[in-house]
Amino acid sequence: MIDLFSGLDAWVLVSLLLALAFVLAFEFINGFHDTANAVATVIYTKAMPPHLAVFFSGVFNFLGVLLGGVGVAYAIVHLLPVELLINVNTGHGLAMVFSLLAAAITWNLGTWYFGIPASSSHTLIGSILGVGLANALINDIPLADGVNWQKAIDIGASLVFSPMAGFLIAALVLIGLKWWRPLSKMHKTPEQRRKIDDKKHPPFWNRLVLVISAMAVSFVHGSNDGQKGIGLIMLVLIGIVPSQFVLDLSSTTYQIERTRDATLHLSQFYQRNSESLGEFLALGKSVEGDLPEKFRCNPQQTEPTIDALLSTLKGVADYHSLPSESRIEVRRYLLCLDDTAKKVGKLPGLAAREKDDLNKLRKDLTGTTEYAPFWVILAVALALGLGTMVGWKRVVLTIGEKIGKQGMTYAQGMSAQITTACMIGMANIFSLPVSTTHVLSSGVAGTMVANKSGLQGGTVRNILLAWVLTLPATVALSAGLFWLASKALGS
């Protein structure tokens, strides 16, 4: 790893280390900010002592990051338009990274201090959107092109739908438990259990389910939220030291050949569908030039881009053999070809089978650009895992006692945690970032309604207010910081 940073100017190296520290600080804060939600029910119900709960939650968060892949990481990265991603420049990368991280950390710390279960996912996404919009304004780009709005809509839908589904499903699970075992001790609160049964802990089976489901929430939280830190670090590395990280330098000859073959097959795909795609791609008519012209992806430059990529990769068996500028060009070509292929897949007239083939080609195209070195994954896993072990008390009290007018029962804790673990696990499968905070909080609220415990208006209002304000606040904050940084750098 150390050799990757050798030869860097001192100011670039210091900036890089500072940027990495910012990302890991964000993940550390994320650990004690969001992971408190993962252990809130198990601590409140006294299923586990706090020190054990946070320790094992930290371990399972760590494992979740290690085993979670990078699908969610690049879903976050691709909120930025492809034009911003291909314009790799050290100063530009520094301004972008520090702006969005400073905004995200500030909001996270503020909501944590007041014990409000705000979402780190919302915070990060708002910060990224702010940078994209500010970049559009600074460079006279239409706001419609300043952000990858389709990806933003997909992620926004998952963030809106998941709390609603969490509320409903957790309520239904609790209703099912009350119907199945109406007289069970699992329907007691910890306080009732202590007063009536003179017992401190939940019944054995309830306790076991609470512990297992809490660790499951911790694992899926790590595999979802941890990837956001991975995506941020890759933005940092590509933006500040592009020559070393624009491509996966550990790619095997086979992986490089797959990329080359996918490019060739993509060309054949377009020729096969030239009747419906010829005008959109200007097949046979495109003009040679800067590819893509002025750091913008133009579908009508697809043919020369394919030719340039095939020419650059001809005979290449190891990315190390490519000069630094050629690596940057290869990534630029690949990202633009993938962006155009994504647009082509949405055009009318293509058969479903052809669209499936196109999606498979896109995966092969991006196989050596959408990656993360193991040391990046390990660093994020450690930061998130260690962050889990501090700062949990404020949010635990909010989740356990301040959402409902009565304390949480064991059945409510189980219902909320099982629902949260399943929903975030499903989101991981589809590479969608969701909020552990919002899913669990809404799940608890759903069980309070189903249990006829009532909701505390003040707490629910604060949670909803944080939910509503997080995006506009972080968008405005990161956009302002990026504008100031860009002006300072003379962008």
Side-chain angles (χ1 to χ4, degrees):
M1 181 187 88
I2 296 176
D3 62 307
L4 294 174
F5 306 114
S6 60
L8 295 179
D9 292 339
W11 75 272
V12 174
L13 182 59
V14 170
S15 300
L16 175 62
L17 293 175
L18 191 58
L20 292 177
F22 261 63
V23 177
L24 295 178
F26 172 80
E27 279 304 311
F28 183 83
I29 293 167
N30 187 10
F32 68 71
H33 186 279
D34 273 18
T35 310
N37 298 285
V39 295
T41 50
V42 81
I43 291 175
Y44 178 75
T45 56
K46 295 180 171 57
M48 288 184 82
H51 64 283
L52 279 181
V54 295
F55 172 76
F56 281 107
S57 180
V59 170
F60 277 90
N61 266 281
F62 177 84
L63 294 174
V65 179
L66 285 186
L67 303 175
V70 294
V72 174
Y74 281 92
I76 290 290
V77 168
H78 288 300
L79 276 172
L80 295 171
V82 67
E83 287 79 11
L84 196 55
L85 294 175
I86 62 175
N87 186 7
V88 290
N89 170 279
T90 299
H92 188 83
L94 283 172
M96 176 177 68
V97 168
F98 281 117
S99 301
L100 68 89
L101 283 175
I105 289 173
T106 300
W107 187 258
N108 260 2
L109 281 176
T111 52
W112 165 80
Y113 180 80
F114 290 104
I116 300 172
S119 167
S120 292
S121 301
H122 270 189
T123 301
L124 178 58
I125 289 164
S127 299
I128 292 175
L129 293 178
V131 165
L133 293 173
N135 180 73
L137 290 172
I138 291 169
N139 294 291
D140 295 322
I141 298 171
L143 289 181
D145 298 329
V147 170
N148 185 345
W149 288 110
Q150 185 56 57
K151 179 62 71 175
I153 290 169
D154 292 343
I155 291 175
S158 73
L159 288 170
V160 170
F161 172 75
S162 55
M164 295 168 60
F167 182 96
L168 180 61
I169 294 171
L172 292 174
V173 171
L174 181 66
I175 291 170
L177 290 175
K178 289 173 76 71
W179 172 80
W180 178 50
R181 300 286 298 275
L183 302 178
S184 171
K185 294 176 181 177
M186 66 180 165
H187 300 298
K188 293 179 179 178
T189 66
E191 186 65 20
Q192 290 168 339
R193 173 79 165 162
R194 187 181 64 79
K195 287 182 178 179
I196 298 172
D197 300 332
D198 197 26
K199 298 269 182 83
K200 182 179 178 180
H201 301 295
F204 175 77
W205 289 109
N206 302 145
R207 189 176 185 182
L208 183 64
V209 173
L210 282 164
V211 170
I212 291 174
S213 59
M215 296 307 105
V217 171
S218 297
F219 181 85
V220 295
H221 173 268
S223 60
N224 195 280
D225 271 35
Q227 288 192 52
K228 296 160 192 170
I230 293 171
L232 282 175
I233 288 185
M234 293 311 297
L235 276 178
V236 168
L237 295 174
I238 291 169
I240 299 177
V241 277
S243 63
Q244 299 294 339
F245 293 98
V246 286
L247 297 173
D248 183 1
L249 296 183
S250 66
S251 298
T252 63
T253 303
Y254 171 72
Q255 289 172 313
I256 296 173
E257 287 178 350
R258 276 186 70 178
T259 301
R260 189 164 46 231
D261 289 346
T263 308
L264 183 60
H265 291 315
L266 185 66
S267 176
Q268 294 169 352
F269 176 92
Y270 289 149
Q271 294 300 325
R272 188 167 66 245
N273 292 278
S274 59
E275 187 173 334
S276 57
L277 301 178
E279 185 175 349
F280 179 72
L281 300 176
L283 297 177
K285 304 174 186 176
S286 52
V287 179
E288 295 282 351
D290 185 19
L291 307 172
E293 185 178 3
K294 295 180 181 177
F295 296 110
R296 293 184 65 82
C297 295
N298 183 355
Q300 296 190 338
Q301 290 282 11
T302 295
E303 279 190 316
T305 301
I306 288 174
D307 292 341
L309 178 59
L310 289 173
S311 175
T312 304
L313 291 182
K314 185 176 181 180
V316 174
D318 186 339
Y319 280 142
H320 286 94
S321 65
L322 283 175
S324 297
E325 283 303 315
S326 295
R327 295 176 199 167
I328 294 172
E329 287 177 355
V330 166
R331 178 175 181 270
R332 188 154 56 101
Y333 298 156
L334 288 170
L335 289 186
C336 281
L337 289 176
D338 177 63
D339 185 64
T340 297
K342 179 171 62 178
K343 293 174 181 175
V344 167
K346 295 175 183 176
L347 294 175
L350 273 184
R353 182 178 176 181
E354 294 283 54
K355 289 183 179 181
D356 287 342
D357 285 347
L358 191 60
N359 287 331
K360 291 173 184 175
L361 287 175
R362 286 185 60 203
K363 288 182 181 179
D364 283 343
L365 274 177
T366 56
T368 58
T369 60
E370 295 188 358
Y371 76 103
F374 179 73
W375 66 265
V376 170
I377 298 172
L378 183 62
V380 171
L382 285 171
L384 188 64
L386 292 173
T388 301
M389 301 179 190
V390 298
W392 48 271
K393 289 185 180 180
R394 293 176 185 269
V395 178
V396 167
L397 184 62
T398 299
I399 295 292
E401 294 185 354
K402 293 186 178 180
I403 292 180
K405 292 182 178 179
Q406 299 176 20
M408 182 194 304
T409 66
Y410 305 126
Q412 286 177 264
M414 291 189 296
S415 301
Q417 286 186 167
I418 291 170
T419 299
T420 302
C422 292
M423 291 198 61
I424 299 176
M426 288 293 293
N428 288 341
I429 293 173
F430 293 102
S431 298
L432 289 171
V434 292
S435 167
T436 304
T437 304
H438 289 160
V439 176
L440 183 65
S441 298
S442 61
V444 171
T447 65
M448 290 293 176
V449 171
N451 200 44
K452 299 180 181 178
S453 303
L455 297 173
Q456 288 195 37
T459 301
V460 173
R461 185 169 56 251
N462 286 341
I463 292 173
L464 289 175
L465 193 61
W467 192 86
V468 170
L469 291 179
T470 292
L471 275 179
T474 49
V475 165
L477 186 56
S478 66
L481 290 171
F482 183 72
W483 183 84
L484 290 173
S486 297
K487 291 300 180 184
L489 290 169
S491 298

